[in-house]
Amino acid sequence: MTNCTPSDTSDPAAEGHWLKQTLQPNSLRFLTCYMAIQFAVILLTSVAFPSQYAWLLDRVYWVLLPAQAVLTLITLFFARRHPGGGSVGAYLLLLLGSIALLVWYLYGAGGHTNPVISLLLVPLAMSAALLGWQATSIVALMVLLCYTLLTQLFVPLEPNHYNGQEQHFMQLHLTGMWLTFLVSVLLILGLILPLALTSRAQQQRIAQQQEKMLRNEKIIAMATFAAGTAHKLGTPLSTVAILLEDLQESFADRKEFSSDVTNDLNTMKQQIQICKTILRDMMRRADKLRNNTRSPLPVADLINELRQQFSLLHPARQLNILTAPLPHVVIEGDETLELALLNLLDNAVQESQADPQLQLRLHDDRLCIRIIDTGPGIPEIVRQQLGKPFNTGRTDGLGLGLFLSHTTINRLGGALQLIPAESGAVIDVWLPLLLGESST
């Protein structure tokens, strides 16, 4: 599986081509580091061998080393021009260029007998950690072919038979093999491991973003469904209201009916009007949710609205506000924030006989709304599966209230935390402050 993410392009055919895919950020920066290290290794060995009476071809000094330096500068230039990572094709071309220069150096410096040949494995490891299987296959074939050719075609690296230097040269060769192996290990730890970890972190961010988009799509779908349901319920409610008015007119002149019947009819009319108001409000909220409409929301207004809505939903209960409502604090909210908080308060009412408590506090640039109840507490399975639908600790619950609240708060840039407590449940809702705004 490739670790690349598709680049932004309008051509569907080009978008799926692996050469045009975009790499993770800072990929070229790691490649530049490898190019510089390869240049340093070639330079050091080119100086070390003559000092041990092993002479190299002149083109190693006058052609190959400048070419390696130019390629390193080109890679550095691309890294600064494309901090986002660049394309797979450009990265592969630069990587193959570094392999070609290393093989050219090895050809004129002993071929497979040169300890530096171990560096051929580093580009292959970088490709396997960063690129897809197509690019890695190309690099693997090139490295294998070059290694095979270097076993047959190379300029021998032999010392002058002067003053018995053969044994000294063999010891130098073994030391060079160990040092090159050490450099390869350090390169893998210093370059390839961070590449792999960065790639894994990028894939996790992509997965989280996709999950967030999926949750938002579910919310939009539910809002659309709610708006459609509210529209369909409006017609039968209007019909019931008309029939109820006819009944009231019919019973108005009949004295045999008691005042209790008249009061019941009036109560039914009031309840129908409340249902109509709720449906209109539902359609308005669903429309704003689909359009992702947000606006500054003073915390004091939010708390007052929560208190009123809580009293309507639970006339026999009371919402205890333990702290001041912070009149000059403003957050960014939409029509779903109030519903999300009401869902959490409704869960607290269902689980506890005592009235729920609400606390407010500021921490840096965030607002914390803490909801406390004295119920049996939150099950561990609910805390572990927070954010997943149909996750409930009640036998009569659907498991959607907590899911919708979690999704809404995350969509607004906040966080929902279920805090373990010795008795009851503690829920923290963190919301970012809208800086530069104040309530009037």
Side-chain angles (χ1 to χ4, degrees), residues 306-317:
L306 281 177
R307 182 186 286 112
Q308 295 176 10
Q309 293 297 326
F310 182 85
S311 299
L312 291 175
L313 293 174
H314 306 283
R317 308 292 289 272

Side-chain angles (χ1 to χ4, degrees), residues 225-355:
F225 176 76
T229 303
H231 179 73
K232 293 178 181 179
L233 289 176
T235 300
L237 275 177
S238 299
T239 303
V240 172
I242 294 174
L243 293 176
L244 185 58
E245 291 179 358
D246 293 341
L247 286 175
Q248 286 181 318
E249 292 177 359
S250 300
F251 296 153
D253 299 332
R254 298 186 183 184
K255 297 182 180 180
E256 62 270 19
F257 290 97
S258 64
S259 60
D260 292 338
V261 175
T262 303
N263 292 334
D264 290 342
L265 291 177
N266 290 332
T267 302
M268 292 174 62
K269 185 176 181 179
Q270 293 175 359
Q271 295 301 315
I272 291 176
Q273 188 61 38
I274 291 175
C275 290
K276 286 185 174 181
T277 303
I278 293 175
L279 290 178
R280 286 195 299 268
D281 186 64
M282 183 185 299
M283 294 181 65
R284 178 179 59 84
R285 290 173 183 267
D287 184 66
K288 288 187 176 182
L289 176 60
R290 287 180 294 181
N291 295 329
N292 196 23
T293 303
R294 302 182 185 180
S295 58
L297 177 61
V299 174
D301 295 348
L302 174 63
I303 299 304
N304 290 334
E305 187 66 23
L306 281 177
R307 182 186 286 112
Q308 295 176 10
Q309 293 297 326
F310 182 85
S311 299
L312 291 175
L313 293 174
H314 306 283
R317 308 292 289 272
Q318 181 181 358
L319 178 60
N320 297 321
I321 311 296
L322 302 182
T323 53
L326 307 176
H328 299 291
V329 177
V330 180
I331 60 176
E332 187 180 43
D334 60 12
E335 297 295 330
T336 61
L337 177 58
E338 179 187 326
L339 295 177
L341 296 174
L342 285 174
N343 277 335
L344 299 176
L345 290 172
D346 184 69
N347 288 339
V349 170
Q350 298 294 333
E351 295 291 341
S352 175
Q353 297 297 326
D355 293 334

Side-chain angles (χ1 to χ4, degrees), residues 93-296:
L93 184 62
L94 292 171
L95 196 62
L96 293 178
S98 69
I99 296 175
L101 290 178
L102 181 59
V103 171
W104 186 16
Y105 161 75
L106 292 172
Y107 168 76
H112 70 286
T113 63
N114 192 318
V116 181
I117 198 171
S118 299
L119 289 181
L120 282 176
L121 293 177
V122 178
L124 179 59
M126 295 181 68
S127 178
L130 183 63
L131 307 181
W133 65 269
Q134 302 96 330
T136 303
S137 299
I138 294 175
V139 174
L141 289 175
M142 183 174 181
V143 169
L144 183 60
L145 178 61
C146 291
Y147 192 98
T148 303
L149 292 176
L150 286 173
T151 61
Q152 305 296 326
L153 303 175
F154 61 91
V155 177
L157 188 64
E158 297 178 353
N160 290 335
H161 297 278
Y162 177 74
N163 293 333
Q165 292 293 329
E166 294 88 349
Q167 184 176 0
H168 174 72
F169 183 79
M170 181 57 65
Q171 184 63 35
L172 179 65
H173 176 76
L174 295 176
T175 303
M177 291 180 61
W178 183 86
L179 290 175
T180 306
F181 183 79
L182 176 63
V183 171
S184 301
V185 171
L186 294 178
L187 283 174
I188 292 176
L189 293 178
L191 297 179
I192 301 172
L193 182 59
L195 277 175
L197 294 177
T198 304
S199 177
R200 183 180 301 175
Q202 183 186 30
Q203 292 300 317
Q204 291 178 350
R205 288 193 297 268
I206 293 174
Q208 292 174 354
Q209 186 67 22
Q210 290 175 344
E211 183 180 358
K212 182 178 179 181
M213 293 175 60
L214 182 60
R215 287 199 303 264
N216 291 340
E217 289 176 0
K218 290 180 179 179
I219 292 294
I220 299 295
M222 295 181 68
T224 304
F225 176 76
T229 303
H231 179 73
K232 293 178 181 179
L233 289 176
T235 300
L237 275 177
S238 299
T239 303
V240 172
I242 294 174
L243 293 176
L244 185 58
E245 291 179 358
D246 293 341
L247 286 175
Q248 286 181 318
E249 292 177 359
S250 300
F251 296 153
D253 299 332
R254 298 186 183 184
K255 297 182 180 180
E256 62 270 19
F257 290 97
S258 64
S259 60
D260 292 338
V261 175
T262 303
N263 292 334
D264 290 342
L265 291 177
N266 290 332
T267 302
M268 292 174 62
K269 185 176 181 179
Q270 293 175 359
Q271 295 301 315
I272 291 176
Q273 188 61 38
I274 291 175
C275 290
K276 286 185 174 181
T277 303
I278 293 175
L279 290 178
R280 286 195 299 268
D281 186 64
M282 183 185 299
M283 294 181 65
R284 178 179 59 84
R285 290 173 183 267
D287 184 66
K288 288 187 176 182
L289 176 60
R290 287 180 294 181
N291 295 329
N292 196 23
T293 303
R294 302 182 185 180
S295 58

